[in-house]
Amino acid sequence: MPSGLARAGAAPTGPVSQAADRAAAALPRRRLLRLAPGLAGLGLFAGCGFQLRQPVVLPFRRLALGGFRPEMERALRVAAGPAVEWVAAPAQAEVLLVALAGTREKIVASYTPTRRVSEFQLRSRLRYRAQTPAGRLLLPDAELQLTRELSYSETFALGKEQEEARLYADMEADIALQVLRRLATARP
């Protein structure tokens, strides 16, 4: 029987079969070589102390809010998760988080040559303090401000309104996380 031809049901033999076997054996090595740079990168991250951001752990359980806009209050409650018990009466709380000022601003950042708005700058700002119900300051007055750019086109006005609302919600969620991280450093 000629080389490379086999009976029905028998494994093929010959140079074609041997080349296929070598290619199949090389496949895991190739895959490993492709993955090696990524694995090395993960090793570098582990060596430098990099780790994903963990949930904020607050040193107290009961928290009361005062003076916050409903959107920011909702963002704080979501960011804190179920570990915090939100109380309505400040006297029942371990910590009172007070918003001194909270604003949203929308400023024209640029115009087209025909004097139409082409870009807005969105700002979300929060001034706050943390104190005990007795009035002892845990965190002095602090201000957080985030800014985002929003391109604008009158053609897509409805979509841009939705994008603006989403950007404000994202900024407020980010501010809420920053407030909670700072609050985690306070000791009641």
Side-chain angles (χ1 to χ4, degrees):
M1 192 180 325
S3 174
L5 297 175
R7 293 186 320 262
T13 60
V16 174
S17 172
Q18 291 169 354
D21 289 343
R22 280 193 303 270
L27 185 61
R29 278 185 268 148
R30 284 186 197 141
R31 192 173 290 151
L32 182 62
L33 287 174
R34 270 191 254 138
L35 293 175
L39 294 173
L42 286 176
L44 289 174
F45 278 136
C48 74
F50 173 81
Q51 62 180 354
L52 294 175
R53 186 173 289 157
Q54 302 296 319
V56 178
V57 178
L58 298 175
F60 43 81
R61 178 127 175 83
R62 290 189 325 270
L63 185 69
L65 299 175
F68 285 91
R69 288 189 338 270
E71 299 89 3
M72 184 58 79
E73 189 172 319
R74 189 176 322 113
L76 281 164
R77 289 176 190 267
V78 168
V84 174
E85 178 185 342
W86 300 95
V87 295
Q92 297 173 345
E94 294 174 59
V95 174
L96 176 61
L97 190 59
V98 180
L100 305 171
T103 59
R104 285 180 168 184
E105 298 173 349
K106 182 178 179 179
I107 301 166
V108 175
S110 65
Y111 292 96
T112 64
T114 59
R115 302 292 299 158
R116 292 187 178 175
V117 175
S118 66
E119 190 171 71
F120 286 107
Q121 189 176 66
L122 306 177
R123 294 181 187 158
S124 185
R125 184 181 317 204
L126 176 68
R127 283 189 55 233
Y128 69 96
R129 86 167 59 124
Q131 62 190 38
T132 63
R136 185 174 64 91
L137 277 181
L138 299 175
L139 293 177
D141 295 4
E143 181 172 317
L144 294 171
Q145 176 180 319
L146 291 179
T147 304
R148 299 287 188 268
E149 303 294 326
L150 173 69
S151 62
Y152 184 75
S153 172
E154 291 176 2
T155 309
F156 307 110
L158 183 59
K160 290 299 179 177
E161 284 179 23
Q162 293 171 352
E163 183 179 356
E164 178 183 340
R166 185 71 226 157
L167 284 171
Y168 275 126
D170 288 345
M171 285 191 286
E172 287 166 353
D174 193 14
I175 287 175
L177 281 172
Q178 289 184 42
V179 168
L180 290 176
R181 275 191 229 111
R182 291 178 184 191
L183 203 51
T185 64
R187 299 288 171 224

